Amino acid sequence: MRAYETVIGLEVHVELSTKTKIFCGCPTTFGAEPNTQICPVCTGMPGALPVLNREVAEDAIAAGLALNCEITRVSRFDRKNYFYPDNPQNYQISQLYAPICRNGYLTVETESGPKRIGIHEIHMEEDAGKCIHDPSSGCTLVDYNRSGVPLLEIVSEPDMRSGEEAVAYLEKLRERLRYLGISDCRMQEGSMRADVNLSVRPAGSETLGTRTEMKNLNSFRSVLRAAANESARQIEILERGEAVVQESRRWDDERGESYSMRSKEDAQDYRYFPEPDLLPLRVDDAWIEAVRVRQPEFREEKTERFLREYEIPAYDVGILTSAKRLADLFEEASAICGKPKKVSNWLMTETMRLCREKGVDPEDLAFSAEHLAALVELADAGEINSTVAKQVFLRVFEEDADPVRIVKEEGLRTVSDRGELSTAVESMIRENPKPVQDYLNGKKKAIGFLVGQVMRAMQGRADPEAVREEIARRLG
Ligand code: ADP
Ligand code: MG
Ligand code: ZN
C-alpha cells in the first residue's frame, strides 16, 4: 500500500451568548418553553424587517482579532435560500461574498511542535429553529426559539493533517472564544458544532484530493473517531483504484461509521443573493480599536504572567489557565489570603477531582474566591484538619457555603484542648481492650486503628498527630 496523507478543514459553528437574537430583540435563553421566545422577525412573517444586533458584530470583530484575522471594512449579508420547516423565512441570512473577518490563523500544539492553522473567514449568520419528532402523535413539531440566535461560522483552511490536529485546533479555538466570553462553546449542547471536511492524497502530493464533509459532530471524541474512520475509508477506495465521491456524510457515533447523505449530483443550490433588508455593515478603525482595547489577556500571556508573579510551578500554571474561571478564582483567592500555592493546590486537586466526578465544567465553577480563600486560611492555620477541610470544601464547591460559618456552627474546629483529647483517648483505650493489647504486645501497626477510633469519636475534629502522640504516651 502507498503512503497517504490526510487533509482536514473544519467549519465550526459557534452560538454567541448575546442576550438577544441577531436580528430582533427576542431573548436567547437556552431551554425555554417551545415558541415562547419568538416574534414576527424570527418566525419569518412577511414584511417583518431585520435589524442587526450591534453586540453580534462586536463579538465577531473580537473573535476576528483573537484569531489574527483582517476585519472587513464593509461587510455584507446574503440570503441563502432553502426550504425546511425549521427555517420559516425559507432563507437564512448569512454572509457569503463579504464576510466580516478573513485571513487569520491560530497556532496549535501538535506532536511535531507548534503549527499555524489558517482561518479562511468568519461570518455572521442566524441559527434555524428545531424540529422535534413527537412519537405520541406521530407528528413533527417545530420550536422557533433558536431561530435567529446568532452564530459565527469559522472556516479553517485545509491545514490539518490528522484527527488529533483537528481536535487540537478545536480545543484552542474553544479556549480563545471562552476567554473572550462570547460563547460557552458546549459541544454537547450544540453551542459549538464542527463540520469535518476530509480528503486523502498520496504522501508528497501537492494537490488536494476529493473531500467529503461530515456535519455537526458534537464532541472532540467523535471528531477524532470520524476522522480516522473516514480517512481509512477513502484510502481503501483509492487503493481499489476507485474515486472518492464528493458528498456529505452522516457520522453515526454509536455504530462508529458514516453513511452517505447526498451526493454532488443533487447538491443544493442555495441561490445566494445580497440581503436587501440590511445595509452593508461599515466597520471603521475607531470601532476596531475600541474592541481591541477590551480584548482579554489570553492563556499564553496569562501563563507568562503567572510564572512571573507567583511562586508556583509551571505544571500548576498549565492547569490553572486551562479555564479562565479557574485562573480568575486563583488570582482572586490568592489576593485575599496571600497563599498562592495553597490556593493552587485546592484548585488543581480537589476542585478538578470534583469537576470530573460531578461532570462540572471548570468554566462553570460557582463558588466564590472569598470562600475558597477562607477555607485555605482555616486549613493553613490548623483550625481544621485535612479531612474536615475536604468535607467543608465539598460544601463550598456545591453551594458556595461560607467555611467560617460552617466550622463555627457545626463545631468542626480541631480540638487542641489537651483535656478533651486525653479524655477521648482514655475512653477509646477502655472500649478497645483487644487492639490495645495487640499494640502493647508489639503490634505497632495497630496504632493506626486506635487513632482512627479516637478521630471518629471526636467527629474528625482532632489533629491526628496529637492523637497519635497522646496514645503513644499513655500506652508507654
Ligand atoms: P464549501 O463552500 O463547499 O463549504 P469551501 O471551499 O468553503 O467549501 O470549504 C469548506 C471547508 O472545507 C473549509 O474548511 C476547507 O478548508 C475545507 N476543504 C476544502 N477542500 C478540501 C479538501 N480537498 N480536503 C479537505 N478539506 C477541504
Ligand atoms: Mg461548507
Ligand atoms: Zn424575534
Side-chain angles (χ1 to χ4, degrees):
M1 194 176 95
R2 284 181 297 174
Y4 288 88
E5 179 175 61
T6 301
V7 175
I8 299 175
L10 296 177
E11 293 164 282
V12 178
H13 283 94
V14 170
E15 239 173 43
L16 295 176
S17 19
T18 53
K19 290 205 175 57
T20 56
K21 294 186 179 181
I22 183 168
F23 299 124
C24 63
C26 291
T28 54
T29 327
F30 183 79
E33 275 290 295
N35 297 313
T36 55
Q37 303 185 337
I38 57 173
C39 75
V41 173
C42 56
T43 49
M45 294 299 149
L49 291 174
V51 177
L52 177 64
N53 179 346
R54 187 184 167 90
E55 209 187 327
V56 173
E58 242 160 59
D59 288 355
I61 296 169
L65 295 177
L67 305 179
N68 309 294
C69 292
E70 293 158 14
I71 310 299
T72 309
R73 298 317 165 103
V74 183
S75 92
R76 288 187 301 271
F77 289 93
D78 304 286
R79 285 188 183 179
K80 178 180 181 177
N81 299 281
Y82 67 94
F83 289 87
Y84 202 71
D86 67 6
N87 173 30
Q89 300 166 130
N90 290 329
Y91 58 83
Q92 176 193 31
I93 304 179
S94 180
Q95 297 194 291
L96 179 70
Y97 303 108
I100 181 131
C101 310
R102 284 186 278 219
N103 296 330
Y105 67 88
L106 204 49
T107 306
V108 306
E109 289 306 321
T110 69
E111 261 183 357
S112 44
K115 176 175 176 181
R116 259 190 198 195
I117 308 294
I119 304 225
H120 185 75
E121 63 168 81
I122 304 177
H123 58 258
M124 299 178 276
E125 59 185 30
E126 53 183 340
D127 210 344
K130 233 182 222 170
C131 288
I132 302 156
H133 191 68
D134 176 26
S136 66
S137 62
C139 292
T140 295
L141 308 170
V142 198
D143 175 7
Y144 290 116
N145 283 349
R146 200 177 66 179
S147 172
V149 166
L151 295 177
L152 292 185
E153 180 171 338
I154 302 160
V155 183
S156 86
E157 298 293 351
D159 286 349
M160 287 151 278
R161 295 292 172 265
S162 65
E164 284 75 12
E165 282 189 16
V167 170
Y169 166 82
L170 286 170
E171 283 179 334
K172 191 75 203 170
L173 184 61
R174 184 177 70 170
E175 175 197 303
R176 288 251 142 173
L177 299 176
R178 284 180 156 186
Y179 262 78
L180 277 175
I182 63 174
S183 170
D184 53 26
C185 295
R186 283 187 233 271
M187 290 194 85
Q188 319 293 348
E189 284 178 16
S191 57
M192 184 177 189
R193 333 193 259 269
D195 300 347
V196 175
N197 294 273
L198 186 147
S199 61
V200 298
R201 62 184 175 190
S205 162
E206 290 291 316
T207 46
L208 291 172
T210 304
R211 70 173 150 136
T212 60
E213 179 177 21
M214 290 177 288
K215 286 194 175 288
N216 285 333
L217 295 176
N218 66 357
S219 71
F220 290 154
R221 187 171 163 270
S222 52
V223 168
L224 207 57
R225 293 175 69 215
N229 181 280
E230 181 58 11
S231 169
R233 192 188 68 89
Q234 291 186 14
I235 290 172
E236 209 183 290
I237 293 172
L238 298 183
E239 282 293 299
R240 280 202 307 266
E242 293 168 19
V244 172
V245 180
Q246 181 171 346
E247 61 182 0
S248 290
R249 301 181 65 83
R250 177 178 297 284
W251 169 252
D252 183 331
D253 208 40
E254 249 146 58
R255 285 168 44 205
E257 56 188 41
S258 66
Y259 53 91
S260 174
M261 282 168 69
R262 64 173 110 90
S263 67
K264 199 177 164 188
E265 283 76 49
D266 58 332
Q268 299 234 26
D269 177 357
Y270 293 117
R271 292 167 198 272
Y272 276 99
F273 65 86
E275 166 60 61
D277 291 339
L278 285 165
L279 290 169
L281 174 68
R282 289 171 197 281
V283 182
D284 59 15
D285 289 347
W287 194 5
I288 296 175
E289 269 323 296
V291 175
R292 197 190 300 280
V293 298
R294 287 200 306 270
Q295 290 289 88
E297 177 186 48
F298 287 112
R299 187 175 185 183
E300 295 80 359
E301 303 140 48
K302 206 183 276 296
T303 300
E304 274 182 31
R305 185 169 61 77
F306 278 13
L307 287 172
R308 213 169 46 236
E309 290 182 3
Y310 300 96
E311 286 184 358
I312 52 172
Y315 177 79
D316 292 38
V317 176
I319 294 178
L320 295 174
T321 56
S322 64
K324 183 165 181 293
R325 174 81 184 130
L326 271 183
D328 289 346
L329 274 171
F330 165 73
E331 286 213 276
E332 286 166 34
S334 300
I336 297 168
C337 70
K339 301 187 173 79
K341 180 57 186 152
K342 299 260 156 62
V343 172
S344 166
N345 287 347
W346 279 101
L347 290 172
M348 287 196 314
T349 53
E350 276 304 283
T351 306
M352 293 307 269
R353 188 182 67 76
L354 289 169
C355 280
R356 274 192 299 276
E357 189 180 301
K358 297 178 186 298
V360 173
D361 189 318
E363 218 52 85
D364 296 334
L365 287 170
F367 59 83
S368 62
E370 286 75 19
H371 291 161
L372 172 60
L375 177 81
V376 167
E377 282 179 327
L378 287 170
D380 198 48
E383 304 247 335
I384 51 178
N385 66 35
S386 64
T387 317
V388 172
K390 279 186 191 164
Q391 288 160 12
V392 174
F393 180 70
L394 179 63
R395 310 256 311 259
V396 172
F397 184 95
E398 285 187 324
E399 46 186 295
D400 194 21
D402 176 359
V404 175
R405 191 182 53 80
I406 297 185
V407 168
K408 188 157 168 240
E409 283 178 9
E410 300 179 17
L412 299 173
R413 267 186 71 163
T414 301
V415 177
S416 44
D417 175 37
R418 279 274 148 200
E420 195 178 332
L421 196 75
S422 68
T423 318
V425 170
E426 208 174 283
S427 17
M428 180 279 294
I429 291 173
R430 207 169 41 241
E431 286 154 22
N432 295 279
K434 172 88 176 38
V436 166
Q437 200 50 53
D438 288 347
Y439 175 78
L440 290 173
N441 289 346
K443 202 176 146 204
K444 294 294 169 208
K445 271 198 289 190
I447 195 157
F449 173 79
L450 301 179
V451 171
Q453 292 304 103
V454 177
M455 291 300 289
R456 214 171 70 188
M458 296 180 74
Q459 282 134 11
R461 292 176 299 111
D463 169 12
E465 243 348 276
V467 173
R468 184 182 298 268
E469 276 167 27
E470 181 64 15
I471 296 173
R473 193 179 65 79
R474 287 195 163 245
L475 298 182

